[in-house]
Amino acid sequence: LYYHLVWATKQRLPLIKPELEAKLHGYIIGKADYLDCITHAINGTENHLHLVASIPPSLSISQFVKRIKGSSSHHWNHKLATSLDKLYWQEGYGVFSLGSKQLETAVKYVENQKIHHSQGTAIAALERNCNVLNTS
């Protein structure tokens, strides 16, 4: 089961500092591994994150996102950031299910997030839907 997940920082503020982004991504990949999920791609900008992952049927998508968002902001705020660089996620997320034939395209899209945003080639439906579903 493949999913393209998207969620934003609180109020879409530029809270993901570039110098800490790789550590945040590494933490999320590790947490996904711990949850027996596979991360196919992770990337984003200063105000949102895209994740393509395989989530086993034994774990609901909402529980996966809740655990990733909650633990990643906690890790950032207590291990990575100074008191001025706190990370808070906006409520909700967007999720798109993928077939195996769509996986490669989704991975490439996520890997090229910064290019898409700088060149204006981001897919609007993916970018605006990052707070569609409530995680509670």
Side-chain angles (χ1 to χ4, degrees):
L1 303 171
Y2 306 109
Y3 300 98
H4 184 159
L5 301 141
V6 188
W7 60 85
T9 58
K10 190 170 187 173
Q11 298 176 343
R12 286 271 190 165
L13 294 171
L15 302 177
I16 302 173
K17 305 298 180 200
E19 62 273 13
L20 297 177
E21 181 182 45
K23 290 182 180 183
L24 173 67
H25 293 176
Y27 177 83
I28 290 172
I29 292 167
K31 184 67 173 182
D33 287 346
Y34 175 78
L35 296 171
D36 294 324
C37 300
I38 299 168
T39 302
H40 300 281
I42 185 171
N43 206 350
T45 67
E46 300 89 1
N47 68 8
H48 73 282
L49 185 130
H50 289 254
L51 176 67
V52 176
S54 293
I55 303 170
S58 58
L59 181 63
S60 72
I61 298 166
S62 63
Q63 281 300 309
F64 172 76
V65 174
K66 181 178 181 178
R67 292 177 76 177
I68 294 290
K69 286 173 65 178
S71 67
S72 65
S73 63
H74 183 270
H75 178 75
W76 177 287
N77 293 336
H78 291 90
K79 303 284 186 196
L80 300 177
T82 67
S83 61
L84 301 175
D85 296 328
K86 298 292 185 184
L87 174 65
Y88 302 99
W89 297 117
Q90 189 161 293
E91 284 189 39
Y93 59 94
V95 60
F96 306 87
S97 61
L98 305 169
S100 59
K101 292 180 181 180
Q102 299 162 314
L103 181 61
E104 184 179 342
T105 301
V107 166
K108 286 180 182 177
Y109 180 77
V110 170
E111 288 174 344
N112 292 305
Q113 268 296 290
K114 289 170 185 57
I115 293 168
H116 288 302
H117 283 276
S118 69
Q119 295 179 353
T121 58
I123 299 171
L126 292 174
E127 302 300 330
R128 72 173 169 260
N129 285 321
C130 54
N131 61 347
V132 172
L133 300 174
N134 193 323
T135 58
S136 52

